[in-house]
Amino acid sequence: MILQLFRKYRPEKTVGFLMAEGKLITKTIEQTRIFPTPCIKEGKYEVLLKYNERRGWYLQIDNEPPDKYTIAPLDKGKYVPLLGIAPVLHWDRDVKFSKLATFKVLEALEKVFASGDRVWLEITEGDQDFLEDD
């Protein structure tokens, strides 16, 4: 399965749409693309299902070391992860229900991971008309 992340770069954050098979799964928010903690570069990456006792199940983006990016909810419900893509319901209003949006992503991928198929994430800059504000 191929997930597509269409981004729009803003000075204060990077926003996007995460889609699968032509359907919107959720909106996303990331760090800006400038130093010190830029968002992951555009490209194609494998998405891995991981588990640990502290976090439970989560998604890791298989990019080059040393930094491993994740698809994870906002930290403490309001902070964008430094090395991650946070699923959200809104970009401009109060960001809420990031955990719910993350569960939507996991649910969309559940059957794919259960079947043993691989999941790929293609990240590109989206069309300005496509990525309108909330």
PDB file of all heavy atoms in Angstrom, residues 1 108-119:
ATOM      1  N   MET A   1       0.849  -1.178   0.000  1.00  0.00           N
ATOM      2  CA  MET A   1       0.000   0.000   0.000  1.00  0.00           C
ATOM      3  C   MET A   1       0.890   1.235   0.000  1.00  0.00           C
ATOM      4  O   MET A   1       1.938   1.253   0.637  1.00  0.00           O
ATOM      5  CB  MET A   1      -0.905   0.014   1.233  1.00  0.00           C
ATOM      6  CG  MET A   1      -1.657   1.325   1.398  1.00  0.00           C
ATOM      7  SD  MET A   1      -2.651   1.381   2.880  1.00  0.00           S
ATOM      8  CE  MET A   1      -4.249   1.182   2.144  1.00  0.00           C
ATOM      9  N   ALA A 108      -6.554   2.427   9.333  1.00  0.00           N
ATOM     10  CA  ALA A 108      -6.481   2.345   7.872  1.00  0.00           C
ATOM     11  C   ALA A 108      -5.406   1.364   7.412  1.00  0.00           C
ATOM     12  O   ALA A 108      -5.510   0.789   6.329  1.00  0.00           O
ATOM     13  CB  ALA A 108      -6.209   3.735   7.294  1.00  0.00           C
ATOM     14  N   LEU A 109      -4.383   1.163   8.239  1.00  0.00           N
ATOM     15  CA  LEU A 109      -3.271   0.287   7.869  1.00  0.00           C
ATOM     16  C   LEU A 109      -3.348  -1.105   8.492  1.00  0.00           C
ATOM     17  O   LEU A 109      -2.531  -1.967   8.186  1.00  0.00           O
ATOM     18  CB  LEU A 109      -1.949   0.948   8.273  1.00  0.00           C
ATOM     19  CG  LEU A 109      -1.686   2.317   7.649  1.00  0.00           C
ATOM     20  CD1 LEU A 109      -0.395   2.896   8.185  1.00  0.00           C
ATOM     21  CD2 LEU A 109      -1.663   2.228   6.139  1.00  0.00           C
ATOM     22  N   GLU A 110      -4.311  -1.330   9.361  1.00  0.00           N
ATOM     23  CA  GLU A 110      -4.402  -2.573  10.121  1.00  0.00           C
ATOM     24  C   GLU A 110      -4.389  -3.819   9.231  1.00  0.00           C
ATOM     25  O   GLU A 110      -3.594  -4.740   9.433  1.00  0.00           O
ATOM     26  CB  GLU A 110      -5.674  -2.552  10.976  1.00  0.00           C
ATOM     27  CG  GLU A 110      -5.898  -3.801  11.775  1.00  0.00           C
ATOM     28  CD  GLU A 110      -7.191  -3.743  12.574  1.00  0.00           C
ATOM     29  OE1 GLU A 110      -8.023  -2.860  12.335  1.00  0.00           O
ATOM     30  OE2 GLU A 110      -7.347  -4.615  13.449  1.00  0.00           O
ATOM     31  N   LYS A 111      -5.241  -3.867   8.230  1.00  0.00           N
ATOM     32  CA  LYS A 111      -5.330  -5.053   7.371  1.00  0.00           C
ATOM     33  C   LYS A 111      -4.068  -5.245   6.536  1.00  0.00           C
ATOM     34  O   LYS A 111      -3.666  -6.377   6.260  1.00  0.00           O
ATOM     35  CB  LYS A 111      -6.552  -4.963   6.472  1.00  0.00           C
ATOM     36  CG  LYS A 111      -7.853  -5.130   7.214  1.00  0.00           C
ATOM     37  CD  LYS A 111      -9.046  -5.050   6.299  1.00  0.00           C
ATOM     38  CE  LYS A 111     -10.330  -5.161   7.111  1.00  0.00           C
ATOM     39  NZ  LYS A 111     -11.514  -4.994   6.289  1.00  0.00           N
ATOM     40  N   VAL A 112      -3.453  -4.148   6.142  1.00  0.00           N
ATOM     41  CA  VAL A 112      -2.231  -4.238   5.336  1.00  0.00           C
ATOM     42  C   VAL A 112      -1.111  -4.870   6.152  1.00  0.00           C
ATOM     43  O   VAL A 112      -0.435  -5.795   5.693  1.00  0.00           O
ATOM     44  CB  VAL A 112      -1.810  -2.844   4.815  1.00  0.00           C
ATOM     45  CG1 VAL A 112      -0.520  -2.930   4.016  1.00  0.00           C
ATOM     46  CG2 VAL A 112      -2.922  -2.224   3.986  1.00  0.00           C
ATOM     47  N   PHE A 113      -0.921  -4.382   7.374  1.00  0.00           N
ATOM     48  CA  PHE A 113       0.125  -4.962   8.233  1.00  0.00           C
ATOM     49  C   PHE A 113      -0.209  -6.411   8.595  1.00  0.00           C
ATOM     50  O   PHE A 113       0.677  -7.257   8.638  1.00  0.00           O
ATOM     51  CB  PHE A 113       0.327  -4.126   9.498  1.00  0.00           C
ATOM     52  CG  PHE A 113       1.100  -2.859   9.265  1.00  0.00           C
ATOM     53  CD1 PHE A 113       0.564  -1.627   9.571  1.00  0.00           C
ATOM     54  CD2 PHE A 113       2.387  -2.887   8.738  1.00  0.00           C
ATOM     55  CE1 PHE A 113       1.282  -0.456   9.366  1.00  0.00           C
ATOM     56  CE2 PHE A 113       3.109  -1.726   8.528  1.00  0.00           C
ATOM     57  CZ  PHE A 113       2.556  -0.505   8.836  1.00  0.00           C
ATOM     58  N   ALA A 114      -1.486  -6.712   8.848  1.00  0.00           N
ATOM     59  CA  ALA A 114      -1.891  -8.078   9.212  1.00  0.00           C
ATOM     60  C   ALA A 114      -1.625  -9.061   8.073  1.00  0.00           C
ATOM     61  O   ALA A 114      -1.296 -10.223   8.315  1.00  0.00           O
ATOM     62  CB  ALA A 114      -3.368  -8.111   9.597  1.00  0.00           C
ATOM     63  N   SER A 115      -1.725  -8.589   6.838  1.00  0.00           N
ATOM     64  CA  SER A 115      -1.486  -9.464   5.687  1.00  0.00           C
ATOM     65  C   SER A 115       0.002  -9.641   5.390  1.00  0.00           C
ATOM     66  O   SER A 115       0.371 -10.479   4.576  1.00  0.00           O
ATOM     67  CB  SER A 115      -2.191  -8.904   4.453  1.00  0.00           C
ATOM     68  OG  SER A 115      -1.536  -7.728   3.999  1.00  0.00           O
ATOM     69  N   GLY A 116       0.834  -8.836   6.028  1.00  0.00           N
ATOM     70  CA  GLY A 116       2.275  -8.929   5.796  1.00  0.00           C
ATOM     71  C   GLY A 116       2.762  -8.067   4.648  1.00  0.00           C
ATOM     72  O   GLY A 116       3.947  -8.080   4.319  1.00  0.00           O
ATOM     73  N   ASP A 117       1.865  -7.306   4.025  1.00  0.00           N
ATOM     74  CA  ASP A 117       2.275  -6.411   2.948  1.00  0.00           C
ATOM     75  C   ASP A 117       3.054  -5.223   3.507  1.00  0.00           C
ATOM     76  O   ASP A 117       2.960  -4.905   4.694  1.00  0.00           O
ATOM     77  CB  ASP A 117       1.057  -5.900   2.170  1.00  0.00           C
ATOM     78  CG  ASP A 117       0.426  -6.971   1.301  1.00  0.00           C
ATOM     79  OD1 ASP A 117       1.102  -7.986   1.021  1.00  0.00           O
ATOM     80  OD2 ASP A 117      -0.741  -6.786   0.911  1.00  0.00           O
ATOM     81  N   ARG A 118       3.780  -4.568   2.636  1.00  0.00           N
ATOM     82  CA  ARG A 118       4.571  -3.411   3.033  1.00  0.00           C
ATOM     83  C   ARG A 118       3.781  -2.129   2.805  1.00  0.00           C
ATOM     84  O   ARG A 118       2.921  -2.067   1.929  1.00  0.00           O
ATOM     85  CB  ARG A 118       5.875  -3.379   2.246  1.00  0.00           C
ATOM     86  CG  ARG A 118       6.729  -4.596   2.560  1.00  0.00           C
ATOM     87  CD  ARG A 118       7.853  -4.745   1.598  1.00  0.00           C
ATOM     88  NE  ARG A 118       8.960  -3.860   1.949  1.00  0.00           N
ATOM     89  CZ  ARG A 118      10.089  -3.797   1.263  1.00  0.00           C
ATOM     90  NH1 ARG A 118      10.279  -4.555   0.207  1.00  0.00           N
ATOM     91  NH2 ARG A 118      11.050  -2.984   1.646  1.00  0.00           N
ATOM     92  N   VAL A 119       4.091  -1.118   3.602  1.00  0.00           N
ATOM     93  CA  VAL A 119       3.455   0.188   3.484  1.00  0.00           C
ATOM     94  C   VAL A 119       4.537   1.206   3.151  1.00  0.00           C
ATOM     95  O   VAL A 119       5.581   1.255   3.807  1.00  0.00           O
ATOM     96  CB  VAL A 119       2.738   0.589   4.799  1.00  0.00           C
ATOM     97  CG1 VAL A 119       2.154   1.983   4.693  1.00  0.00           C
ATOM     98  CG2 VAL A 119       1.657  -0.425   5.149  1.00  0.00           C
TER      99      VAL A 119
END
